Each structure stands twice: as structure tokens, then as C-alpha cells.
Amino acid sequence: MSFELVLIGISIHILVWEKLPEWGTWFNTLLGKLPQPLQTLYAQWRCAYCAGFWIALALHAATGLWTIPALASLPGYWGPLSPFVGWFLDALASAALIVAGVITLRAIGLPAMKSYLMKDDFMKTVGAAARGEPQVQKTQPAEISGR
């Protein structure tokens, strides 16, 4: 099993659906100028599995990489459909790994961000104490009642 195609697929998914929309207004403006069917397609492909399948097919066509190299040579009874079936099955397997990778990165992202922010707050407090500045007590936001 090879993970190059999956790693590139995860990177493309994160770039196109999570990062580019946050990097200024140019990407969202570009999306707004696309024909409505393409805008709808972009909105529907937020699913990492769906997008991962098409990303894997495109990457396979562009690079020749296989996630499961054994699918490159299917049994002879597939006849002329053999390459298409192999590509399809490889894209399905790649999509499953892409969605697993995206979910894993999201799962570790929140604790990592919380840890970073806690360390940043701690370092600011230590720096202020070292300079003899008064300590500011942080207050927690009030809980919102379920009324």
C-alpha cells in the first residue's frame, strides 16, 4: 500500500475547503463568479469522502500513483474494463483513507490549539510577573442558560 496519493489528497482537501476560503476574499470572490452548477458542486463536495474520491481519480490520472498497486493488474475476465475498474476501486480506497486522515487531523487540531493558547497565556503571565507588572485575573465567561 502506498500513501503518497492519500497524503496529497488530504493536502488538497484541506487547502481547497478549509484554508483558501480563510485567506482573504479573493477565493470566495472567485467562487462567487463561477456558474451556479460549479458553486453547488463546490458546496456539496465539502464531504472529505466525496471530494477524496474525485481528487484520487484526478491525481491517479495526473501522476500514475496507486494507493493499492495490486489494482493495476486485475484478472483477465474484466477485459477492456480492467483499467477503469482498477482506477475506480483504488479511488474508493483512497477516499476512505483521505476521510480518515481529515477526521484525524481535525480531532488532534482542537487539543493542539487549546494547548498552544494555554501556553501562550502562561508565557504572557510569566513575562508580566518577571517585569513586575500587576497580574490581571482572567474571568471565565458566564454560562448561557438553556431557557
Side-chain angles (χ1 to χ4, degrees), residues 3-129:
F3 291 100
E4 291 92 352
L5 189 132
V6 173
L7 185 58
I8 296 168
I10 292 169
S11 301
I12 289 172
H13 186 273
I14 289 171
L15 177 68
V16 173
W17 279 276
E18 295 181 19
K19 297 302 175 188
L20 285 178
E22 297 174 0
W23 293 346
T25 59
W26 68 271
F27 185 72
N28 294 323
T29 303
L30 177 69
L31 285 176
K33 292 182 180 183
L34 290 174
Q36 189 59 44
L38 291 178
Q39 290 179 28
T40 303
L41 189 61
Y42 175 79
Q44 291 174 351
W45 277 7
R46 290 200 178 276
C47 163
Y49 186 76
C50 303
F53 174 80
W54 295 106
I55 290 169
L57 276 179
L59 286 173
H60 178 77
T63 64
L65 293 172
W66 290 85
T67 300
I68 304 174
L71 293 172
S73 56
L74 291 176
Y77 57 79
W78 284 104
L81 292 177
S82 181
F84 303 107
V85 172
W87 279 32
F88 178 78
L89 294 175
D90 194 66
L92 286 176
S94 299
L97 293 173
I98 288 171
V99 74
V102 169
I103 288 171
T104 301
L105 288 174
R106 287 179 184 160
I108 64 175
L110 181 61
M113 182 56 71
K114 283 185 174 182
S115 173
Y116 171 79
L117 293 173
M118 289 172 61
K119 179 183 175 193
D120 190 41
D121 286 344
F122 175 75
M123 295 308 287
K124 288 177 185 174
T125 303
V126 169

